[in-house]
Amino acid sequence: MVRFRIFTVLLVGTLITCNVADETDQSNLAICTTKVKPDRPTQLMIEKVQSAWAAIDPLQAEYVFNTKRADLLEKKMESMEPGADRNLVVYDYGIELLRAGQTEKAIEVFENFNNFFKDKFFINKDKILLEFKKQLAISYMRKGEQDNCILNHNDESCIIPLSPKAQHINREGSSKAIEYLMECLEMDPFDFENQYLLNIAYMTLGGYPDDVPEEFLIPQSYFDQHNFPKFHDIAGALGVDVNHMSGGVCLDDFNNDGYLDIMVSSWGYQDQIRYFENDRMGGFIDKTSATGLLGVTGGLNLKHADYNNDGYLDFIILRGSWLENNGKIPNSLIRNNGDGTFTDVTMEAGVFSEQPTQTAIWEDFNLDGWLDLFIANESSDKGVFNCELYMNNTDGTFTNQTQKAGIAATGYFKGVDSGDLNNDGYPDLYLSNFNGQNLLYFNQGAETGVEFKLAPDSLNVSEPIQSFSTWIFDYNNDGFEDIFVSAYSDVERSSANIFMANLRLLEDPRVEKRTPKLYKNNGDGTFTNVSHEMGLNEPLSTMGCNFGDLDNDGYLDFYAATGDPSYISIVPNKMYRNVEGKTFEDVTFSGGFGHIQKGHAVGFGDLDMDGDQDIYAVMGGAYEGDNFRNLLFENPIGNQNNWINIQLEGRTCNRSAIGARITATIDEGGSTRQVHLTVGSGASFGGNSLMAEMGLGKAGSIQKLEIIWPNKARTRSVFNEVAVNQVVKITEGNSAIEPTGLTALTFTKTVHTHQHE
């Protein structure tokens, strides 16, 4: 939140079969299933995590403890005499109230400030009054969101351009916001943030575009797209619209019935991990209370895999991100016990760590058949935290071999992904660095252990500056994996500011530096930045993200969940469709994806097993009061194109088959082409299903289906003339494709009641 100094100082639900009335009250999680208390190892880690949170001084941690910070500031004010110093504390108190979700109290503070100072004479009066009015506009905008988009939530809330259904019933918040925004723009007509908020405020009242002054109007043509079917949010109808802050997600089959479940987290230190199990009847059951995970909280990101090769998917919770030296919150490695319960095995497995992070990757780096774990941590001038490469000992434990493997670089890493970029069979590493150059490490394929070598700067894969989410995929189906990395807004300019600067076509170098980068793999050890020629020339301020094939044409599309902590930054999440590997077209608004609440982890997965991928997105921001309901976009495209879903099971390679390369050779009306896919959970800030869900275009069959298994021998399985539109299982070493018997479900959508938290 940008602030200005006064007098030269800075101013500035009911589920399908059970009821969860309040997601913050753990006792309510036991209503639908038997309550299973955490076992001893899990309870010990719960205590360690809570102890680490308790050790943080609330006044030294900007993004957390907003309520505690407000309380401390209120006490401080009581002991201070009237004057400039107290004014600063009162103003900061108002900011913390807003961040804590106590919006009406924040409005009262800013109104009092505005009324007190508007008749006074002092240096920089205009700038100070402008700041008061801007904070009032932001506060009233948030009040409008709370009163309407959260309390009176529906499936079109906060998705722009707003439909009549999404317009505000309670008009006070946006009406007052418009009043203050217009006053601000009279004082400074070139404030892009205020211009942007004015357009959104008028949308909420049905006054866009007619009532927006022409000089501030976002052209209606910006939203004109007529080339993609509209997706609808059904999270509320299925009771999986968890209402918390930012967090992680894993879409996958945790109980081995073949259908995909949902594991979701939020980074709030009291926010309960939630597990929704697919009931195979078109709905989900909240099984959290039966899992032994009650009391397991927090986690900005999750990453899942079967690390111990027992046939059940496990996951890691990543904690401490953004908190720098205060972020010494332990991660949690959660083992799936195979009986519906989970155990925190962080200590037992040897991966206990107290370093701030939000990003990690599971991969078999030495191809011994067991998944290893790489965690990229966040170093800053307040503390150096090395990355961690935990090699799997094949007995349920890990050994830290980071330095031995040649990974010595530190950075403020916000993303990491792995892929075989030089097609030598060994997975490489790409690290997205918020405070410096991005780094590419090539895996040297050592016979014993593992060894990485830092790629030279001459490869030119180090941008953008302040980069964030990243992934590795084959966007053009040429058999060579490419690198995508997106940027973030900067500390001086919010994502709303950058959005408007780009919209106004201003020559601003900071805009160009924050466009995403797509590095095409040339197949000869070099890469070419093809972002602009592929249509990726708009800053995205990406936080969470992921990729998948929305229309089953065999080319991978992607969803960028946007936003930064500021309440100003309510910019649309963006969806890009891959057009035959030749360009990406923006289908955000035609597809109904333009949600303006903060977006974080994203998962693509065929939740109803009908052959097309649905999307689960974790919403909400960094501050305590910036909660929002998670989304589940049902794919409406159906079987316009053909597809195949493949469950892979490794035997000599890792059981999850992470890193397996799949190639489908198909014939579409006499034209032969290949579709390539690598098994994994997708982007650095998201959790796709590990099931290989492949679009096949108009192909009537797969001429040849080839799997290269991730082991040292690079063994291959080849199948000819494979039928399309089916869910199958392929086990490494088996000569036949196994039918799974899984059939399509129809989502059971009902009206659910909710309680605001």
Side-chain angles (χ1 to χ4, degrees), residues 413-446:
F413 295 121
K414 303 304 292 185
V416 62
D417 201 13
S418 180
D420 183 8
L421 292 168
N422 54 7
N423 280 3
D424 66 351
Y426 285 86
D428 310 302
L429 276 173
Y430 185 80
L431 287 87
S432 173
N433 188 1
F434 186 73
N435 281 350
Q437 291 189 331
N438 301 330
L439 304 175
L440 172 60
Y441 280 95
F442 282 114
N443 190 336
Q444 301 302 291

Side-chain angles (χ1 to χ4, degrees), residues 544-750:
C545 58
N546 227 319
F547 59 87
D549 188 356
L550 294 178
D551 52 3
N552 283 340
D553 66 349
Y555 292 94
L556 295 171
D557 318 301
F558 72 89
Y559 184 61
T562 62
D564 57 52
S566 170
Y567 281 113
I568 295 170
S569 296
I570 48 173
V571 299
N573 301 323
K574 302 300 291 288
M575 180 69 80
Y576 286 87
R577 175 179 177 264
N578 187 337
V579 184
E580 298 180 346
K582 299 173 182 177
T583 189
F584 284 93
E585 64 178 11
D586 188 340
V587 296
T588 300
F589 306 116
S590 60
F593 300 108
H595 209 291
I596 56 174
Q597 291 297 313
K598 311 295 167 47
H600 284 80
V602 175
F604 282 69
D606 189 358
L607 289 165
D608 53 355
M609 213 59 73
D610 65 348
D612 53 28
Q613 291 184 304
D614 311 295
I615 304 164
Y616 191 94
V618 178
M619 307 300 289
Y623 300 129
E624 284 181 2
D626 200 2
N627 57 292
F628 203 80
R629 299 194 179 281
N630 294 350
L631 311 173
L632 199 172
F633 288 112
E634 180 183 10
N635 194 321
I637 298 176
N639 299 328
Q640 295 179 14
N641 284 319
N642 294 321
W643 54 275
I644 189 168
N645 289 348
I646 308 173
Q647 299 174 351
L648 293 186
E649 182 177 309
R651 291 298 173 88
T652 67
C653 75
N654 69 87
R655 184 77 172 259
S656 299
I658 288 175
R661 304 279 291 269
I662 305 175
T663 301
T665 302
I666 59 177
D667 186 327
E668 294 178 297
S671 176
T672 300
R673 65 181 175 100
Q674 292 185 330
V675 178
H676 295 271
L677 188 68
T678 300
V679 174
S681 59
S684 63
F685 207 152
N688 285 354
S689 162
L690 296 179
M691 178 183 289
E693 300 166 349
M694 302 183 71
L696 301 172
K698 299 299 182 183
S701 67
I702 302 173
Q703 292 181 334
K704 183 170 75 170
L705 182 67
E706 181 178 23
I707 297 102
I708 302 177
W709 300 92
N711 52 35
K712 289 183 180 179
R714 303 189 75 185
T715 55
R716 300 177 183 235
S717 297
V718 179
F719 306 92
N720 295 312
E721 294 303 324
V722 178
V724 300
N725 302 337
Q726 60 172 332
V727 185
V728 300
K729 180 177 180 179
I730 298 177
T731 302
E732 181 187 0
N734 285 8
S735 59
I737 295 176
E738 307 167 51
T740 62
L742 300 179
T743 57
L745 310 172
T746 299
F747 285 127
T748 305
K749 305 164 193 173
T750 58

Side-chain angles (χ1 to χ4, degrees), residues 91 123 149 206 231 259 292 298 313 341 354 419 432 493 496 544 605 715:
Y91 187 88
I123 297 173
C149 302
F231 285 53
Y259 291 90
L313 289 173
T341 68
E354 297 175 296
S432 173
R493 309 188 70 205
T715 55

